[in-house]
Amino acid sequence: MNAEIMTDRIETQRLVLFPYTGENLRLFNTDLAGFEKMYSVVYRGEELDYLLRDFLLKLEKEIADDPEHYLFFTEFLIVLKENSHVIGSIDYKYVPRGGITEVGYGLNPAYTGRGYMTEALCAFLKFGKNLGIRTVRADTLKDNIRSQNVLRRCGFSRMDTENDRIWWEIPLDACRGETSVRTFDIYGENYSGFTSHTRAASRAIVISGGNILLSCMEKVGVWMIPGGGAEGSESPEECCIRELAEETGLLAQPLKRILVLNEYYEDWKYTSYYYLCRQTGRTAVHLTEQEKAFGTVARWIPLEEALAVFSRHADYTNTDEERRGIYLREYTALKEYCRSMRKEGSGNENI
Protein backbone atom coordinates (compact mmCIF):
# COMPACT_ATOMS: atom_id res chain seq x y z
CA MET A 1 0.00 0.00 0.00
CA ASN A 2 1.28 3.49 -0.82
CA ALA A 3 2.43 5.45 2.19
CA GLU A 4 2.22 9.16 2.90
CA ILE A 5 5.27 10.60 4.61
CA MET A 6 5.05 14.13 5.94
CA THR A 7 8.18 16.05 6.89
CA ASP A 8 8.56 19.53 8.32
CA ARG A 9 10.71 21.18 5.70
CA ILE A 10 11.52 24.83 5.20
CA GLU A 11 11.81 26.37 1.76
CA THR A 12 13.46 29.68 0.84
CA GLN A 13 14.34 31.22 -2.50
CA ARG A 14 17.54 29.20 -2.88
CA LEU A 15 17.43 26.57 -0.17
CA VAL A 16 15.50 23.65 1.27
CA LEU A 17 16.01 22.67 4.90
CA PHE A 18 14.85 19.26 6.07
CA PRO A 19 15.37 17.42 9.35
CA TYR A 20 17.02 14.20 10.30
CA THR A 21 14.36 11.81 11.56
CA GLY A 22 15.11 8.55 13.32
CA GLU A 23 14.70 6.66 10.05
CA ASN A 24 16.72 8.81 7.69
CA LEU A 25 19.45 9.42 10.29
CA ARG A 26 19.95 5.68 10.69
CA LEU A 27 20.38 5.46 6.93
CA PHE A 28 22.81 8.41 6.92
CA ASN A 29 24.89 6.85 9.71
CA THR A 30 25.10 3.43 8.06
CA ASP A 31 24.89 4.09 4.32
CA LEU A 32 25.63 7.64 3.18
CA ALA A 33 25.43 6.65 -0.49
CA GLY A 34 22.03 5.11 0.15
CA PHE A 35 20.90 8.28 1.93
CA GLU A 36 22.01 10.43 -1.01
CA LYS A 37 20.17 8.17 -3.46
CA MET A 38 17.01 8.06 -1.37
CA TYR A 39 16.77 11.85 -1.02
CA SER A 40 18.39 12.83 -4.35
CA VAL A 41 21.09 14.92 -2.66
CA VAL A 42 24.88 15.06 -2.66
CA TYR A 43 26.52 15.53 0.74
CA ARG A 44 28.90 18.51 0.74
CA GLY A 45 28.31 19.57 4.33
CA GLU A 46 30.57 19.71 7.33
CA GLU A 47 33.45 17.23 7.38
CA LEU A 48 32.31 13.85 8.64
CA ASP A 49 35.14 13.41 11.15
CA TYR A 50 34.88 11.19 14.21
CA LEU A 51 33.44 14.02 16.34
CA LEU A 52 30.54 14.66 13.96
CA ARG A 53 29.99 10.93 13.48
CA ASP A 54 29.84 10.46 17.26
CA PHE A 55 27.40 13.38 17.57
CA LEU A 56 25.09 11.94 14.90
CA LEU A 57 25.06 8.53 16.58
CA LYS A 58 24.08 10.19 19.88
CA LEU A 59 21.47 12.26 18.05
CA GLU A 60 19.93 9.09 16.62
CA LYS A 61 19.47 7.77 20.16
CA GLU A 62 18.06 11.09 21.41
CA ILE A 63 15.46 11.14 18.65
CA ALA A 64 14.45 7.57 19.53
CA ASP A 65 14.15 8.54 23.21
CA ASP A 66 12.08 11.68 22.60
CA PRO A 67 10.39 11.48 19.16
CA GLU A 68 7.63 13.90 20.18
CA HIS A 69 10.04 16.82 20.54
CA TYR A 70 12.72 15.87 18.00
CA LEU A 71 12.19 19.03 15.90
CA PHE A 72 13.60 21.06 18.79
CA PHE A 73 17.01 19.37 18.75
CA THR A 74 17.48 17.43 15.53
CA GLU A 75 19.75 18.70 12.77
CA PHE A 76 18.18 20.28 9.68
CA LEU A 77 20.27 19.77 6.55
CA ILE A 78 20.69 22.83 4.33
CA VAL A 79 20.31 21.90 0.67
CA LEU A 80 20.97 24.09 -2.37
CA LYS A 81 18.04 23.94 -4.77
CA GLU A 82 20.18 24.50 -7.86
CA ASN A 83 22.24 21.32 -7.53
CA SER A 84 20.83 19.41 -4.49
CA HIS A 85 24.13 19.78 -2.60
CA VAL A 86 23.92 19.49 1.18
CA ILE A 87 26.10 22.43 2.25
CA GLY A 88 25.55 22.62 6.01
CA SER A 89 23.16 22.16 8.91
CA ILE A 90 21.21 24.13 11.51
CA ASP A 91 19.46 23.14 14.72
CA TYR A 92 17.82 24.18 17.96
CA LYS A 93 19.97 22.79 20.72
CA TYR A 94 17.27 21.73 23.18
CA VAL A 95 13.56 21.74 23.91
CA PRO A 96 12.58 25.31 24.90
CA ARG A 97 12.70 26.17 28.58
CA GLY A 98 10.25 28.95 29.34
CA GLY A 99 9.99 29.53 25.60
CA ILE A 100 13.77 29.99 25.24
CA THR A 101 16.25 27.84 23.31
CA GLU A 102 19.57 28.19 21.45
CA VAL A 103 20.38 27.88 17.78
CA GLY A 104 23.51 26.39 16.23
CA TYR A 105 24.64 26.12 12.63
CA GLY A 106 27.53 25.12 10.41
CA LEU A 107 28.43 25.56 6.75
CA ASN A 108 31.02 24.06 4.42
CA PRO A 109 33.62 26.86 4.07
CA ALA A 110 33.45 26.51 0.29
CA TYR A 111 29.94 28.01 0.37
CA THR A 112 30.52 30.98 2.68
CA GLY A 113 30.20 34.59 1.59
CA ARG A 114 27.07 34.05 -0.52
CA GLY A 115 24.35 34.73 2.05
CA TYR A 116 23.25 31.11 2.35
CA MET A 117 23.49 30.94 6.13
CA THR A 118 21.66 34.24 6.62
CA GLU A 119 18.87 32.97 4.36
CA ALA A 120 18.71 29.65 6.22
CA LEU A 121 18.78 31.16 9.71
CA CYS A 122 16.11 33.80 9.03
CA ALA A 123 13.75 31.12 7.72
CA PHE A 124 14.65 28.77 10.61
CA LEU A 125 13.68 31.46 13.12
CA LYS A 126 10.27 31.82 11.46
CA PHE A 127 9.90 28.04 11.69
CA GLY A 128 10.81 28.16 15.39
CA LYS A 129 8.16 30.80 15.99
CA ASN A 130 5.61 28.42 14.45
CA LEU A 131 6.77 25.78 16.96
CA GLY A 132 6.00 28.13 19.86
CA ILE A 133 9.55 29.28 20.60
CA ARG A 134 9.55 32.84 21.96
CA THR A 135 13.24 33.69 22.27
CA VAL A 136 16.36 32.28 20.59
CA ARG A 137 19.93 32.68 21.84
CA ALA A 138 23.24 32.02 20.12
CA ASP A 139 26.93 32.35 20.89
CA THR A 140 29.95 33.08 18.71
CA LEU A 141 33.68 33.27 19.21
CA LYS A 142 34.91 36.85 19.54
CA ASP A 143 36.93 36.59 16.34
CA ASN A 144 34.20 34.91 14.27
CA ILE A 145 33.09 38.09 12.50
CA ARG A 146 31.34 36.23 9.69
CA SER A 147 28.99 34.41 12.10
CA GLN A 148 28.36 37.62 14.04
CA ASN A 149 27.31 39.35 10.82
CA VAL A 150 24.86 36.51 10.08
CA LEU A 151 23.23 36.99 13.48
CA ARG A 152 23.02 40.76 13.07
CA ARG A 153 21.43 40.45 9.62
CA CYS A 154 18.75 38.16 11.09
CA GLY A 155 17.96 40.63 13.88
CA PHE A 156 19.96 39.29 16.87
CA SER A 157 21.22 41.71 19.52
CA ARG A 158 24.51 41.34 21.41
CA MET A 159 23.72 40.56 25.03
CA ASP A 160 26.85 39.50 26.96
CA THR A 161 30.52 38.51 26.72
CA GLU A 162 32.00 35.52 28.50
CA ASN A 163 35.72 34.72 28.15
CA ASP A 164 36.27 34.24 24.41
CA ARG A 165 32.56 34.11 23.48
CA ILE A 166 29.80 36.61 22.72
CA TRP A 167 26.15 35.84 23.52
CA TRP A 168 23.31 36.98 21.28
CA GLU A 169 19.51 36.95 21.57
CA ILE A 170 16.40 37.63 19.51
CA PRO A 171 12.70 37.68 20.51
CA LEU A 172 10.98 35.91 17.64
CA ASP A 173 8.40 38.66 17.24
CA ALA A 174 11.30 40.65 15.80
CA CYS A 175 12.81 38.03 13.49
CA ARG A 176 13.22 38.77 9.81
CA GLY A 177 13.27 36.65 6.67
CA GLU A 178 10.93 34.41 4.73
CA THR A 179 7.94 32.65 6.23
CA SER A 180 8.40 28.91 6.39
CA VAL A 181 6.16 26.76 4.24
CA ARG A 182 5.50 23.15 5.16
CA THR A 183 6.48 20.52 2.62
CA PHE A 184 4.74 17.15 2.35
CA ASP A 185 6.21 14.08 0.67
CA ILE A 186 4.17 11.24 -0.80
CA TYR A 187 6.03 8.09 -1.82
CA GLY A 188 4.42 5.51 -4.06
CA GLU A 189 5.09 1.81 -3.69
CA ASN A 190 6.64 1.86 -7.15
CA TYR A 191 9.19 4.54 -6.18
CA SER A 192 12.60 3.36 -7.38
CA GLY A 193 14.54 5.06 -4.58
CA PHE A 194 16.07 7.72 -6.82
CA THR A 195 14.86 10.42 -9.19
CA SER A 196 15.98 10.82 -12.80
CA HIS A 197 13.16 13.16 -13.86
CA THR A 198 11.41 16.10 -12.21
CA ARG A 199 8.26 18.04 -13.00
CA ALA A 200 7.05 21.24 -11.30
CA ALA A 201 3.47 22.46 -11.21
CA SER A 202 1.40 25.15 -9.48
CA ARG A 203 -2.15 24.80 -8.17
CA ALA A 204 -4.63 27.44 -7.06
CA ILE A 205 -6.87 27.30 -3.97
CA VAL A 206 -9.71 29.79 -4.53
CA ILE A 207 -12.42 30.09 -1.87
CA SER A 208 -15.66 32.10 -2.12
CA GLY A 209 -18.51 31.99 0.38
CA GLY A 210 -17.34 28.66 1.80
CA ASN A 211 -17.08 27.11 -1.68
CA ILE A 212 -13.91 26.07 -3.46
CA LEU A 213 -13.26 26.22 -7.21
CA LEU A 214 -12.36 22.80 -8.63
CA SER A 215 -11.82 21.34 -12.07
CA CYS A 216 -13.98 18.33 -12.88
CA MET A 217 -13.25 15.88 -15.69
CA GLU A 218 -16.92 15.05 -16.19
CA LYS A 219 -16.44 12.12 -18.56
CA VAL A 220 -14.42 10.18 -15.97
CA GLY A 221 -15.79 11.79 -12.78
CA VAL A 222 -12.43 12.98 -11.43
CA TRP A 223 -12.10 16.20 -9.42
CA MET A 224 -8.93 18.19 -8.77
CA ILE A 225 -7.63 21.58 -7.68
CA PRO A 226 -6.97 23.71 -10.80
CA GLY A 227 -3.38 23.89 -11.94
CA GLY A 228 -0.70 22.36 -14.09
CA GLY A 229 2.92 22.19 -15.13
CA ALA A 230 5.27 25.15 -15.46
CA GLU A 231 6.26 26.27 -18.93
CA GLY A 232 9.69 27.59 -19.85
CA SER A 233 11.24 29.84 -17.23
CA GLU A 234 8.00 31.05 -15.61
CA SER A 235 7.93 31.31 -11.83
CA PRO A 236 5.58 29.18 -9.72
CA GLU A 237 3.37 32.26 -9.20
CA GLU A 238 3.23 32.97 -12.95
CA CYS A 239 2.43 29.32 -13.62
CA CYS A 240 -0.39 29.43 -11.06
CA ILE A 241 -1.97 32.52 -12.66
CA ARG A 242 -1.72 31.13 -16.21
CA GLU A 243 -2.96 27.63 -15.41
CA LEU A 244 -5.94 28.89 -13.39
CA ALA A 245 -6.96 31.27 -16.18
CA GLU A 246 -6.61 28.69 -18.96
CA GLU A 247 -8.41 25.94 -17.08
CA THR A 248 -11.24 27.89 -15.42
CA GLY A 249 -11.39 31.35 -17.02
CA LEU A 250 -10.69 32.92 -13.64
CA LEU A 251 -8.13 35.70 -13.22
CA ALA A 252 -6.63 35.69 -9.75
CA GLN A 253 -3.79 37.02 -7.61
CA PRO A 254 -1.71 34.54 -5.57
CA LEU A 255 -1.76 35.79 -1.98
CA LYS A 256 0.58 33.30 -0.36
CA ARG A 257 2.03 29.85 -0.79
CA ILE A 258 0.18 27.34 1.37
CA LEU A 259 2.44 24.33 0.98
CA VAL A 260 4.79 22.41 -1.29
CA LEU A 261 3.94 18.80 -2.07
CA ASN A 262 6.39 16.29 -3.57
CA GLU A 263 5.21 13.03 -5.10
CA TYR A 264 7.64 10.20 -5.85
CA TYR A 265 6.65 7.54 -8.38
CA GLU A 266 9.07 5.25 -10.24
CA ASP A 267 12.06 7.52 -10.99
CA TRP A 268 9.99 10.73 -11.11
CA LYS A 269 9.63 13.55 -8.60
CA TYR A 270 6.54 15.72 -9.11
CA THR A 271 6.50 18.98 -7.14
CA SER A 272 3.28 20.98 -6.71
CA TYR A 273 3.22 24.52 -5.30
CA TYR A 274 -0.17 25.40 -3.82
CA TYR A 275 -1.21 29.05 -3.62
CA LEU A 276 -4.13 30.71 -1.89
CA CYS A 277 -5.55 33.06 -4.55
CA ARG A 278 -7.96 35.99 -4.71
CA GLN A 279 -10.23 36.33 -7.73
CA THR A 280 -9.64 39.54 -9.73
CA GLY A 281 -11.60 39.02 -12.95
CA ARG A 282 -12.63 36.74 -15.79
CA THR A 283 -11.12 35.69 -19.11
CA ALA A 284 -11.65 33.09 -21.82
CA VAL A 285 -11.06 29.41 -21.06
CA HIS A 286 -8.30 27.73 -23.08
CA LEU A 287 -8.32 23.97 -22.51
CA THR A 288 -5.77 21.52 -23.88
CA GLU A 289 -6.99 18.83 -26.26
CA GLN A 290 -6.69 16.27 -23.47
CA GLU A 291 -8.74 18.44 -21.10
CA LYS A 292 -11.39 18.83 -23.78
CA ALA A 293 -11.47 15.07 -24.35
CA PHE A 294 -12.14 14.50 -20.63
CA GLY A 295 -14.89 17.13 -20.57
CA THR A 296 -13.08 19.37 -18.09
CA VAL A 297 -15.23 22.10 -16.53
CA ALA A 298 -14.86 24.47 -13.58
CA ARG A 299 -17.24 23.91 -10.67
CA TRP A 300 -17.75 25.60 -7.29
CA ILE A 301 -18.58 23.13 -4.51
CA PRO A 302 -18.64 23.46 -0.69
CA LEU A 303 -15.20 23.07 0.85
CA GLU A 304 -16.51 20.36 3.19
CA GLU A 305 -17.79 18.40 0.19
CA ALA A 306 -14.43 18.69 -1.56
CA LEU A 307 -12.67 17.39 1.56
CA ALA A 308 -15.09 14.46 1.69
CA VAL A 309 -14.46 13.61 -1.98
CA PHE A 310 -10.67 13.73 -1.66
CA SER A 311 -10.65 11.92 1.70
CA ARG A 312 -11.76 8.74 -0.12
CA HIS A 313 -8.38 8.38 -1.85
CA ALA A 314 -7.78 4.97 -0.26
CA ASP A 315 -10.93 3.62 -1.93
CA TYR A 316 -9.07 3.60 -5.25
CA THR A 317 -6.04 1.63 -4.09
CA ASN A 318 -5.40 -1.23 -6.54
CA THR A 319 -8.27 -0.10 -8.80
CA ASP A 320 -7.48 3.43 -10.03
CA GLU A 321 -3.95 4.46 -9.11
CA GLU A 322 -4.06 7.79 -10.94
CA ARG A 323 -7.22 8.91 -9.13
CA ARG A 324 -5.89 7.62 -5.81
CA GLY A 325 -2.74 9.73 -6.23
CA ILE A 326 -4.64 12.86 -7.29
CA TYR A 327 -7.10 12.61 -4.40
CA LEU A 328 -4.38 11.96 -1.81
CA ARG A 329 -2.47 14.98 -3.11
CA GLU A 330 -5.50 17.28 -3.03
CA TYR A 331 -6.72 16.01 0.35
CA THR A 332 -3.28 16.72 1.85
CA ALA A 333 -3.33 20.23 0.37
CA LEU A 334 -6.81 21.11 1.62
CA LYS A 335 -6.11 19.76 5.12
CA GLU A 336 -3.03 21.99 5.25
CA TYR A 337 -5.08 24.96 4.00
CA CYS A 338 -7.64 24.39 6.77
CA ARG A 339 -4.88 24.05 9.37
CA SER A 340 -3.26 27.32 8.28
CA MET A 341 -6.60 29.16 8.32
CA ARG A 342 -7.38 27.90 11.83
CA LYS A 343 -3.94 29.01 12.99
CA GLU A 344 -4.47 32.50 11.61
CA GLY A 345 -8.03 32.65 12.96
CA SER A 346 -9.39 33.11 9.44
CA GLY A 347 -12.70 31.84 8.15
CA ASN A 348 -13.57 30.82 4.62
CA GLU A 349 -14.26 34.37 3.52
CA ASN A 350 -14.31 35.30 -0.12
CA ILE A 351 -10.78 34.87 -1.41
Side-chain angles (χ1 to χ4, degrees), residues 7 18-36 38-39 43 48 51-67 70-71 73-77 86 89 91:
T7 57
F18 74 92
Y20 285 125
T21 63
E23 183 177 352
N24 67 27
L25 184 53
R26 281 192 296 275
L27 181 61
F28 184 95
N29 284 332
T30 59
D31 182 8
L32 177 57
F35 177 90
E36 292 177 317
M38 179 67 183
Y39 292 95
Y43 186 82
L48 292 172
L51 290 175
L52 182 54
R53 288 287 191 184
D54 185 57
F55 168 77
L56 292 177
L57 287 171
K58 291 179 180 177
L59 180 60
E60 183 181 332
K61 183 179 184 302
E62 290 174 356
I63 292 174
D65 290 342
D66 191 6
Y70 85 100
L71 288 174
F73 56 81
T74 190
E75 293 276 329
F76 279 68
L77 295 178
V86 176
S89 63
D91 71 308

Side-chain angles (χ1 to χ4, degrees), residues 91-104:
D91 71 308
Y92 290 116
K93 294 184 179 181
Y94 47 80
V95 177
R97 303 162 187 164
I100 301 172
T101 188
E102 293 180 37
V103 68

Side-chain angles (χ1 to χ4, degrees), residues 32-154:
L32 177 57
F35 177 90
E36 292 177 317
K37 183 177 180 181
M38 179 67 183
Y39 292 95
S40 301
V41 297
V42 179
Y43 186 82
R44 294 288 186 270
E46 300 150 275
E47 182 183 354
L48 292 172
D49 57 18
Y50 76 95
L51 290 175
L52 182 54
R53 288 287 191 184
D54 185 57
F55 168 77
L56 292 177
L57 287 171
K58 291 179 180 177
L59 180 60
E60 183 181 332
K61 183 179 184 302
E62 290 174 356
I63 292 174
D65 290 342
D66 191 6
E68 181 180 355
H69 299 106
Y70 85 100
L71 288 174
F72 291 111
F73 56 81
T74 190
E75 293 276 329
F76 279 68
L77 295 178
I78 302 172
V79 184
L80 275 180
K81 286 182 177 180
E82 65 179 2
N83 55 18
S84 298
H85 284 186
V86 176
I87 61 173
S89 63
I90 190 167
D91 71 308
Y92 290 116
K93 294 184 179 181
Y94 47 80
V95 177
R97 303 162 187 164
I100 301 172
T101 188
E102 293 180 37
V103 68
Y105 47 82
L107 192 70
N108 183 325
Y111 296 92
T112 58
R114 307 181 206 180
Y116 291 138
M117 187 52 73
T118 299
E119 188 173 324
L121 177 56
C122 286
F124 198 56
L125 294 174
K126 290 285 187 179
F127 178 75
K129 185 176 180 180
N130 291 340
L131 294 178
I133 299 171
R134 297 201 301 270
T135 301
V136 175
R137 293 171 177 166
D139 69 285
T140 65
L141 292 172
K142 288 183 178 179
D143 59 358
N144 191 344
I145 304 302
R146 191 184 297 275
S147 184
Q148 293 168 28
N149 288 338
V150 167
L151 294 172
R152 287 192 181 97
R153 284 193 290 267
C154 290

Side-chain angles (χ1 to χ4, degrees), residues 206-213 300-304 348:
V206 187
I207 307 291
S208 179
N211 295 321
I212 183 171
L213 182 66
W300 291 94
I301 69 172
L303 177 60
E304 292 76 11
N348 294 325

Side-chain angles (χ1 to χ4, degrees), residues 57-329:
L57 287 171
K58 291 179 180 177
L59 180 60
E60 183 181 332
K61 183 179 184 302
E62 290 174 356
I63 292 174
D65 290 342
D66 191 6
E68 181 180 355
H69 299 106
Y70 85 100
L71 288 174
F72 291 111
F73 56 81
T74 190
E75 293 276 329
F76 279 68
L77 295 178
I78 302 172
V79 184
L80 275 180
K81 286 182 177 180
E82 65 179 2
N83 55 18
S84 298
H85 284 186
V86 176
I87 61 173
S89 63
I90 190 167
D91 71 308
Y92 290 116
K93 294 184 179 181
Y94 47 80
V95 177
R97 303 162 187 164
I100 301 172
T101 188
E102 293 180 37
V103 68
Y105 47 82
L107 192 70
N108 183 325
Y111 296 92
T112 58
R114 307 181 206 180
Y116 291 138
M117 187 52 73
T118 299
E119 188 173 324
L121 177 56
C122 286
F124 198 56
L125 294 174
K126 290 285 187 179
F127 178 75
K129 185 176 180 180
N130 291 340
L131 294 178
I133 299 171
R134 297 201 301 270
T135 301
V136 175
R137 293 171 177 166
D139 69 285
T140 65
L141 292 172
K142 288 183 178 179
D143 59 358
N144 191 344
I145 304 302
R146 191 184 297 275
S147 184
Q148 293 168 28
N149 288 338
V150 167
L151 294 172
R152 287 192 181 97
R153 284 193 290 267
C154 290
F156 280 79
S157 298
R158 181 169 173 166
M159 301 300 294
D160 198 7
T161 301
E162 181 181 352
N163 299 324
D164 62 342
R165 310 195 78 81
I166 302 172
W167 284 92
W168 305 77
E169 185 173 289
I170 181 173
L172 290 193
D173 285 343
C175 68
R176 308 165 187 166
E178 301 186 30
T179 302
S180 62
V181 176
R182 297 218 300 173
T183 295
F184 294 78
D185 292 335
I186 296 174
Y187 292 84
E189 275 192 342
N190 62 351
Y191 177 49
S192 62
F194 62 92
T195 55
S196 302
H197 311 284
T198 60
R199 178 67 166 155
S202 295
R203 308 188 189 281
I205 296 175
V206 187
I207 307 291
S208 179
N211 295 321
I212 183 171
L213 182 66
L214 297 180
S215 290
C216 178
M217 296 186 287
E218 290 192 323
K219 292 185 179 180
V220 290
V222 175
W223 296 82
M224 66 179 65
I225 295 172
E231 295 181 356
S233 61
E234 67 183 356
S235 68
E237 291 88 351
E238 292 168 337
C239 174
C240 181
I241 294 169
R242 177 186 54 77
E243 282 287 342
L244 181 64
E246 292 177 351
E247 200 168 308
T248 70
L250 196 73
L251 296 174
Q253 173 192 1
L255 299 177
K256 67 175 181 177
R257 187 180 293 180
I258 295 293
L259 78 156
V260 180
L261 196 149
N262 297 312
E263 299 168 273
Y264 298 85
Y265 297 103
E266 296 180 337
D267 62 343
W268 277 85
K269 175 185 177 182
Y270 302 92
T271 299
S272 291
Y273 300 94
Y274 284 83
Y275 288 91
L276 179 63
C277 297
R278 174 186 288 125
Q279 180 177 354
T280 59
R282 301 289 308 183
T283 188
V285 174
H286 293 285
L287 298 177
T288 66
E289 292 304 314
Q290 184 180 43
E291 289 168 341
K292 292 177 183 177
F294 284 127
T296 302
V297 294
R299 293 280 186 266
W300 291 94
I301 69 172
L303 177 60
E304 292 76 11
E305 184 179 329
L307 280 163
V309 169
F310 296 138
S311 71
R312 296 194 290 271
H313 53 82
D315 294 350
Y316 302 99
T317 303
N318 301 322
T319 61
D320 190 341
E321 175 61 14
E322 184 175 7
R323 185 183 307 211
R324 185 210 65 80
I326 292 171
Y327 282 15
L328 174 57
R329 181 189 72 201

